[in-house]
Amino acid sequence: MDGDEIPERGNWSNKAENLLTMVGYAIGLGNIWRFPYLAYKNGGGAFLIPYFLMLVLCGIPLFFLENVIGQFCSQGPLNVWRAVPLLQGVGLSMVIMNSFVAIYYNVIIAYSLYYMFASFQSPLPWSSCLSWADSNCSKTPTVYCNVSGAVVSNWTLENRTCPSSDMITVPMQSPSEQYWDRVALQRSSGLDETGPVVWHLALCLLLSTMFTVAALIKGIKSSGKVVYFTATFPYVIILILLIRGVTLEGARDGVEFFIGSQSNMTKLMEAQVWKDAATQTFFSLAISTGGILTLSSYNNFHNNMFLDAAVVSIINHVTSVFAGIAIFSVLGHMAFLYGKPIGEVVKEGFGLAFIAYPEALSKLPISTLWSFLFFLMIFIVGLDSQFTILEVITTCLSDANPETLRSKRSLLTIMTCGVVYLLGLPCVTRAGIYWVTLLDTFTINTVLLVVSSTEVTGFIYIYGGNRLIKDIEMMLGKKSFCFWLWWRACWFVISPCIVVVILFWSCVSFEPPTYGKVQYPDWGVALGWCISAFVIIWIPVVAVYKLLRAEGSPWKRLKLLCSPSEEWRPYLDIHRGERYSEERCHRRRAGSTNNIKCESKF
């Protein structure tokens, strides 16, 4: 590729494409439908204190670390473990984890596509109970009055109201909730009842896959052009929704409950708030998923990856707050119309994106426009993340077989996306939402923390933090001792401790997944744990395999596999320098009985 530093592998055409792709990847659906709820639940504006503190202590350091690793060797998640061959299974776990995530993420994008098309109807189909609704559908709860032992509906006899002690309120399902369950999903009663494929979702899934293929057909050269639109246009939509939202009656109450005067600073005394802040920071930046490693591997060798890490991480967190204000302003208006507290209309996840917010938008004038814009934003944000998720898979495959697959990148992309589509079909059956929730629970949460703790251990404690700093200085030039003091503190102590604490807490506080009030069967939970085990088991399996294949005594084998292989180096000879040839000598002399002075790892 003309003009690339590494023609056979390719590089970003310019820095803007690199940054926009990273921003598009980091800012995912969790920023829109999870963060606002977490902030509300954990004290509103008070939650921003631990949220941004965790960004400084854990988010930026680990984001920077992964940028460094990928850029230094210009390889994907599999081949970066040439630095510590014993842990090459971590790279394989990342690829498998991304494969599972690609399957259900594609389904969520299909949901947004379906709602985007449904938004062209006027009035919006979920604005009232239509022919698809059952008797439990209503915009307001049904009130009964217990009069002399008899339950009477809509008590109005002789203009007397029912005493509150005799009033029985029966909760009903809103039109938006029934539309989601009965029309969009055609949801079954549980994981046991699979049912047929929901064909309108299968077609939307196919369309989503086709968009992904078109963007990735030439790898980063095509996706790098697409992100000029997909990474920026969501901000335009959020701004439009924000301007419309803050002009609504009741919007101020919603915003104040989110980050305003209703913030509860006493929440900062609760450990759960800090855990939620750390977890949201970790997952929203997609640390240890392999995506950052992949994208940074296409950087030029002397690119300032520190600036990239700081800019992308800060944009990610600010976007969460920005989107939260837009969402809570509209939810505040809905609470005002219904005369309910904000807490009764706020939901998270699918409930926020496909039930609560669409219902709120249906109350606005020109509701079709606002609904279309909202679901277009969800679609674009999801698609942006999906680009990188699939790029991780195709990059690892092409790096593992460069002679065969690099020249057939288009075919590889089509086949990969085709397989992801076929594997996603069970997730668009009537039990599909249960499978999506199961995969989301068991392929990301605990698994990602295990992979991250192993990654930090491998590069900071085994490969060596000081050795890594010397690698960075080959790319960025010499930095002062004070500059590295902060990064050493984060990499060696603060960030690993935070990851381990979150991992331990997640294991202790784990609860079996549910969807609404639907409990998962025991076999479903067991299958979920099998999926988690299948992702992370490759770490010990590959380590044992390599130990058995190595030569020498057990200690010599272990020492050899904990040292960088001959292939761990900058991709181009011009960037290796004299120092890196000495590193190769270090490893070869590791088994010598002579007293050879080697550079410290710590």
Side-chain angles (χ1 to χ4, degrees):
M1 300 176 191
D2 295 338
D4 289 339
E5 191 174 70
I6 307 175
E8 64 270 23
R9 194 172 185 274
N11 297 96
W12 296 109
S13 299
N14 54 61
K15 193 170 183 68
E17 290 184 8
N18 170 30
L19 285 176
L20 288 173
T21 304
M22 282 197 170
V23 167
Y25 177 53
I27 297 169
L29 297 174
N31 297 74
I32 296 171
W33 71 24
R34 178 168 168 77
F35 172 80
Y37 175 80
L38 281 180
Y40 167 79
K41 185 184 78 169
N42 290 307
F47 183 69
L48 299 183
I49 297 174
Y51 186 54
F52 279 91
L53 188 59
M54 289 300 168
L55 172 67
V56 174
L57 297 178
C58 183
I60 294 178
L62 295 183
F63 202 93
F64 180 36
L65 176 66
E66 291 206 305
N67 264 284
V68 165
I69 297 166
Q71 181 172 311
F72 180 76
C73 64
S74 300
Q75 294 290 327
L78 272 178
N79 287 352
V80 298
W81 290 99
R82 291 168 175 172
V84 188
L86 184 71
L87 297 179
Q88 195 159 26
V90 176
L92 188 55
S93 291
M94 287 179 176
V95 176
I96 295 171
M97 177 171 57
N98 276 277
S99 301
F100 281 116
V101 173
I103 293 168
Y104 77 79
Y105 220 81
N106 205 25
V107 175
I108 296 173
I109 298 170
Y111 292 160
S112 64
L113 265 178
Y114 173 76
Y115 267 79
M116 190 174 75
F117 293 138
S119 298
F120 286 108
Q121 302 176 55
S122 181
L124 292 173
W126 54 84
S127 60
S128 58
C129 300
L130 301 178
S131 58
W132 41 260
D134 62 15
S135 58
N136 199 39
C137 180
S138 174
K139 294 182 180 180
T140 57
T142 300
V143 179
Y144 295 90
C145 190
N146 187 3
V147 182
S148 302
V151 177
V152 180
S153 177
N154 300 323
W155 176 251
T156 59
L157 182 61
E158 296 179 1
N159 295 323
R160 289 182 297 169
T161 58
C162 180
S164 58
S165 59
D166 295 327
M167 191 179 296
I168 303 173
T169 302
V170 180
M172 307 292 282
Q173 285 187 309
S174 67
S176 62
E177 186 175 358
Q178 286 220 346
Y179 184 84
W180 168 244
D181 284 337
R182 298 173 65 85
V183 181
L185 299 180
Q186 300 180 16
R187 180 165 66 90
S188 67
S189 59
L191 196 63
D192 296 302
E193 186 185 348
T194 301
V197 169
V198 180
W199 286 107
H200 60 254
L201 291 181
L203 291 174
C204 288
L205 187 69
L206 179 61
L207 185 58
S208 168
T209 304
M210 292 170 66
F211 275 115
T212 307
V213 170
L216 296 177
I217 196 71
K218 294 183 179 179
I220 62 166
K221 292 301 180 183
S222 53
S223 65
K225 302 297 184 290
V226 174
V227 294
Y228 281 107
F229 173 75
T230 58
T232 57
F233 193 64
Y235 287 96
V236 176
I237 298 178
I238 293 174
L239 181 60
I240 293 172
L241 293 174
L242 174 62
I243 294 172
R244 183 66 185 99
V246 296
T247 61
L248 298 171
E249 200 167 5
R252 181 175 179 178
D253 294 334
V255 175
E256 285 187 347
F257 267 94
F258 177 47
I259 57 169
S261 60
Q262 300 295 325
S263 299
N264 183 3
M265 300 301 291
T266 61
K267 282 280 190 177
L268 294 177
M269 304 302 293
E270 299 177 15
Q272 180 67 35
V273 174
W274 294 84
K275 182 258 185 183
D276 284 346
T279 303
Q280 178 64 15
T281 295
F282 194 86
F283 291 130
S284 68
L285 287 173
I287 293 168
S288 297
T289 59
I292 303 166
L293 289 171
T294 300
L295 297 179
S296 62
S297 72
Y298 293 104
N299 289 342
N300 290 330
F301 187 75
H302 293 295
N303 172 65
N304 188 346
M305 81 294 287
F306 166 69
L307 181 63
D308 296 350
V311 168
V312 174
S313 300
I314 293 171
I315 289 176
N316 174 77
H317 272 45
V318 171
T319 300
S320 296
V321 180
F322 186 45
I325 296 173
I327 287 171
F328 263 79
S329 61
V330 177
L331 293 181
H333 176 64
M334 186 171 80
F336 170 80
L337 292 178
Y338 286 155
K340 294 181 178 180
I342 294 288
E344 292 187 20
V345 300
V346 174
K347 298 179 184 291
E348 68 169 325
F350 296 113
L352 174 62
F354 298 105
I355 298 175
Y357 202 74
E359 182 179 356
L361 293 176
S362 70
K363 309 298 179 186
L364 304 180
I366 327 176
S367 57
T368 53
L369 172 63
W370 308 120
S371 181
F372 172 76
L373 288 175
F374 175 71
F375 287 110
L376 176 62
M377 177 187 67
I378 295 290
F379 168 66
I380 293 173
V381 167
L383 203 62
D384 240 351
S385 297
Q386 183 77 340
F387 291 161
T388 301
I389 292 169
L390 287 167
E391 186 66 53
V392 172
I393 301 170
T394 55
T395 292
C396 286
L397 290 174
S398 60
D399 282 348
N401 302 278
E403 297 83 6
T404 307
L405 296 179
R406 274 185 187 159
S407 60
K408 301 175 181 177
R409 186 59 182 261
S410 299
L411 178 61
L412 177 62
T413 299
I414 294 171
M415 291 182 64
T416 302
C417 292
V419 170
V420 167
Y421 171 75
L422 293 175
L423 292 176
L425 288 176
C427 294
V428 291
T429 60
R430 293 190 174 183
I433 190 65
Y434 304 115
W435 288 108
V436 170
T437 304
L438 188 78
L439 288 172
D440 183 46
T441 301
F442 287 100
T443 60
I444 286 292
N445 296 342
T446 305
V447 169
L448 191 60
L449 294 169
V450 171
V451 170
S452 180
S453 59
T454 311
E455 181 182 37
V456 173
T457 300
F459 275 95
I460 299 303
Y461 296 109
I462 299 177
Y463 178 73
N466 281 346
R467 177 185 286 171
L468 188 65
I469 286 172
K470 290 184 178 181
D471 292 342
I472 298 171
E473 289 183 335
M474 290 176 66
M475 295 183 281
L476 296 183
K478 286 286 185 180
K479 300 292 181 182
S480 67
F481 174 80
C482 293
F483 177 85
W484 291 120
L485 186 62
W486 167 251
W487 297 107
R488 283 188 173 101
C490 290
W491 287 340
F492 281 101
V493 182
I494 301 173
S495 298
C497 287
I498 291 174
V499 173
V500 170
V501 168
I502 300 173
L503 174 59
F504 176 75
W505 199 327
S506 298
C507 292
V508 171
S509 61
F510 175 81
E511 295 180 359
T514 59
Y515 181 79
K517 296 180 180 179
V518 179
Q519 301 289 327
Y520 277 67
D522 291 340
W523 68 265
V525 177
L527 178 62
W529 283 115
C530 288
I531 292 172
S532 295
F534 180 72
V535 175
I536 62 178
I537 198 172
W538 300 103
I539 300 175
V541 165
V542 171
V544 170
Y545 173 78
K546 285 184 171 291
L547 284 169
L548 293 176
R549 291 291 301 271
E551 298 178 354
S553 64
W555 171 247
K556 188 174 181 179
R557 296 182 187 189
L558 182 63
K559 193 173 181 182
L560 179 69
L561 292 172
C562 287
S563 302
S565 70
E566 295 289 343
E567 290 79 23
W568 171 254
R569 58 184 183 264
Y571 195 94
L572 298 176
D573 289 336
I574 193 175
H575 295 141
R576 292 173 191 170
E578 295 183 5
R579 173 193 164 257
Y580 230 79
S581 10
E582 292 176 1
E583 286 292 329
R584 303 281 73 76
C585 180
H586 263 290
R587 198 191 68 79
R588 287 194 295 269
R589 294 178 181 177
S592 174
T593 56
N594 298 329
N595 185 21
I596 300 172
K597 183 179 179 180
C598 293
E599 71 179 52
S600 171
K601 294 182 181 180
F602 303 103

